[in-house]
Amino acid sequence: MAERQAGPALETRPRPEETVSLMHIGDIQDTRILNPEGEELGDLTDIAIDRETGRIIYAVLSYGGILGFGEKHFAIPWGAVRTPPGERVFVVDVDKRRLESAPGFARDAMPREGDWSLVRTLPP
């Protein structure tokens, strides 16, 4: 009876032969972000989620500063964030010098969308 009532919800579960790649917030928060050259850009400290769709819109990159003072925050579009298999880092194609000269945003004034102008190569 319960299965009949659940109907489509049960159909969305992965089949035993399918794999699902999930991350927990604890896997994401405070993870190092590197660029493809291996330069450390900072840490992923937060994510912005669209309330209507449930999709991650961007990752918050905290760059620079010491002990939280003088940090700049950048909205990196989630589509530009790569996760190398088996590693606990994220890779984003951003030039470190670009972050030094870009203004970033204040933590109490998060932008509505990610900033694609920071990303050197756009996803396909």
Side-chain angles (χ1 to χ4, degrees):
M1 177 88 167
E3 284 185 29
R4 208 172 322 135
Q5 290 175 345
L10 290 177
E11 294 170 15
T12 61
R13 292 184 182 165
R15 295 185 181 100
E17 68 274 7
E18 294 177 324
T19 59
V20 178
S21 180
L22 300 175
M23 288 187 279
H24 298 274
I25 190 65
D27 296 335
I28 294 174
Q29 197 169 21
D30 297 326
T31 300
R32 290 181 313 131
I33 297 181
L34 310 174
N35 63 15
E37 294 79 25
E39 296 176 305
E40 191 163 335
L41 302 177
D43 295 321
L44 188 153
T45 57
D46 210 346
I47 55 174
I49 300 173
D50 183 310
R51 288 179 188 225
E52 291 183 22
T53 65
R55 293 181 53 218
I56 297 175
I57 303 302
Y58 63 82
V60 175
L61 166 63
S62 291
Y63 172 80
I66 298 173
L67 300 173
F69 296 101
E71 282 183 326
K72 293 198 282 185
H73 304 282
F74 297 97
I76 305 296
W78 190 247
V81 178
R82 300 289 172 253
T83 55
E87 295 185 41
R88 192 164 157 27
V89 298
F90 292 108
V91 177
V92 177
D93 194 6
V94 172
D95 186 337
K96 192 172 187 173
R97 291 180 303 253
R98 173 83 171 98
L99 297 178
E100 291 169 3
S101 62
F105 68 88
R107 292 287 292 168
D108 60 347
M110 290 178 69
R112 296 177 57 87
E113 58 187 34
D115 185 354
W116 281 102
S117 72
L118 298 169
V119 181
R120 292 184 284 197
T121 55
L122 302 179

